[in-house]
């Protein structure tokens, strides 16, 4: 696949941007990890606060009942009416998340503070939050959890693990996730990711200044150069799911930026979350 990418700068001056999502009305959601808050950029360019102040939101999905499910010190569903805690085990926090076709939430746990070099290097886990609010460990030994996504047919789970510089892939058969193995070895720190309808995996490289697409066989394909080395995440949106949004962590004087370009292939939509608090 070959493509030329022209990046449109939509917004700048933020801190470390994470959790990009686009809803059915083409509103773009994003978090500012160190400065706090989740915001929504409307198609006319106006930006409004959706979740005030909350820091550490590394991942986000939209919910079928409205509002957003956000990570941080716990997992919360936040709507205009208030917020509900969905999951709050004894961990340091949570980072990226994604949903499967049933609307269950897959989210990576942190057992160390990634911004504190003195904190112990304790691996975390990948959790699945079920529709009834129960949760279970999918697997452990994740050193720095980041982007999560599924293949178009839902039979493969991709997961960035930034410290070892790996994107893992596992087989998915119903509730069973097995055979975790190396999909990509990347020295430029894999971060957020998104998947397209051809099975290509688009990975933000947090020390690479680009988004790199890998074929379903794990071979590097097209790359999207970004004018900031610190590329944190990526997602698809737009009426045809070919708008590619790229966010950064503020590695330049422009601060964290939101860019948009056009992809040569359609992205896989992220299903709405269907999880609700356990009684």
């Amino acid at each position: 696949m070959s493509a030329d990418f022209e990046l449109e700068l939509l917004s700048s001056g933020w801190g470390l941007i994470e959790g990009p999502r686009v809803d059915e009305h083409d509103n773009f959601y994003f978090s500012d990890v160190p400065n706090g808050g989740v915001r929504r950029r409307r198609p006319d360019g106006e930006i409004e606060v959706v979740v005030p102040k909350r820091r550490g939101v590394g991942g986000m999905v939209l919910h079928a009942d409205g509002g957003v499910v956000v990570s941080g010190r716990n997992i919360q569903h936040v709507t205009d009416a208030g917020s509900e805690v969905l999951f709050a085990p004894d961990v340091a926090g949570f980072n990226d998340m994604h949903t499967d076709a049933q609307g269950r939430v897959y989210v990576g746990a942190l057992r160390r503070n990634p911004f504190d070099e003195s904190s112990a290097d304790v691996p975390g886990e990948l959790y699945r939050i079920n529709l009834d609010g129960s949760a279970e460990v999918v697997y452990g030994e994740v050193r720095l959890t980041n982007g999560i996504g599924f293949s178009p047919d839902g039979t493969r789970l991709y997961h960035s693990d930034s410290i070892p510089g790996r994107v893992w892939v596992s087989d998915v058969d119903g509730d069973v996730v097995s055979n975790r193995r190396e999909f990509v070895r990347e020295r430029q720190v894999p971060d957020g990711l998104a998947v397209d309808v051809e099975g290509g995996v688009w990975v933000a490289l947090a020390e690479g200044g680009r988004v790199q697409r890998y074929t379903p066989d794990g071979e590097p394909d097209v790359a999207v150069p970004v004018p900031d080395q610190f590329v944190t995440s990526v997602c698809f949106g737009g009426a045809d799911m070919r708008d590619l949004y790229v966010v950064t962590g503020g590695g330049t004087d422009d601060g964290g930026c939101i860019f948009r370009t056009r992809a040569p292939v359609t992205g896989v939509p992220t299903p709405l979350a269907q999880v609700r608090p356990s009684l």
Side-chain angles (χ1 to χ4, degrees):
M1 180 185 296
S2 62
D4 293 321
F5 298 95
E6 294 184 7
L7 290 179
E8 175 189 7
L9 177 62
L10 299 181
S11 186
S12 62
W14 305 97
L16 193 162
I17 300 178
E18 281 283 12
R21 295 293 176 199
V22 183
D23 69 16
E24 61 180 338
H25 303 296
D26 215 24
N27 296 301
F28 176 79
Y29 295 73
F30 65 99
S31 68
D32 188 326
V33 173
N35 297 318
V38 171
R39 291 169 175 81
R40 175 172 56 213
R41 180 189 183 275
R42 294 176 13 181
D44 63 7
E46 181 179 344
I47 295 176
E48 52 199 2
V49 175
V50 176
V51 182
K53 300 181 179 179
R54 183 178 175 95
R55 292 184 177 180
V57 178
M60 175 170 25
V61 290
L62 305 176
H63 200 284
D65 295 338
V68 294
V69 178
V70 293
S71 65
R73 65 187 180 278
N74 55 29
I75 304 300
Q76 285 193 11
H77 177 201
V78 183
T79 66
D80 292 340
S83 63
E84 291 183 295
V85 175
L86 298 178
F87 187 43
D90 184 18
V91 298
F94 294 91
N95 201 12
D96 250 311
M97 66 173 71
H98 202 79
T99 44
D100 65 12
Q102 298 180 45
R104 300 180 295 185
V105 173
Y106 285 69
V107 62
L110 299 166
R111 292 192 176 270
R112 61 179 292 272
N113 181 350
F115 302 106
D116 180 2
E117 294 182 358
S118 66
S119 63
D121 185 9
V122 180
E125 302 83 19
L126 178 69
Y127 281 92
R128 179 173 60 221
I129 307 174
N130 298 309
L131 302 186
D132 62 1
S134 64
E136 56 199 304
V137 174
V138 178
Y139 51 69
E141 295 301 316
V142 184
R143 292 186 63 195
L144 181 53
T145 180
N146 256 301
I148 301 168
F150 289 89
S151 61
D153 62 4
T155 63
R156 302 178 96 190
L157 169 67
Y158 299 99
H159 188 182
S160 290
D161 193 356
S162 295
I163 284 182
R166 303 290 186 272
V167 178
W168 306 112
V169 60
S170 302
D171 298 323
V172 182
D173 184 3
D175 294 342
V176 178
V177 178
S178 62
N179 190 28
R180 185 175 68 165
R181 58 202 181 273
E182 182 180 295
F183 174 66
V184 166
R185 179 179 300 198
E186 178 55 73
R187 63 182 177 82
Q188 293 179 318
V189 188
D191 204 321
L193 64 80
V195 181
D196 66 43
V197 297
E198 295 180 357
V201 183
W202 301 68
V203 182
L205 299 180
E207 292 182 359
R210 69 185 191 279
V211 175
Q212 179 67 59
R213 182 185 190 263
Y214 300 91
T215 68
D217 295 326
E219 294 298 321
D221 191 17
V222 298
V224 184
V226 180
D228 185 340
Q229 284 292 107
F230 193 6
V231 185
T232 55
S233 199
V234 60
C235 75
F236 288 95
D240 60 0
M241 289 298 290
R242 283 184 54 201
D243 285 344
L244 186 71
Y245 289 84
V246 180
V247 296
T248 71
T252 71
D253 292 341
D254 292 330
C257 295
I258 303 167
F259 297 99
R260 182 172 59 195
T261 188
R262 291 288 288 170
V265 63
T266 301
V268 175
T270 302
L272 297 175
Q274 303 273 357
V275 297
R276 293 171 179 86
S278 55
L279 300 178

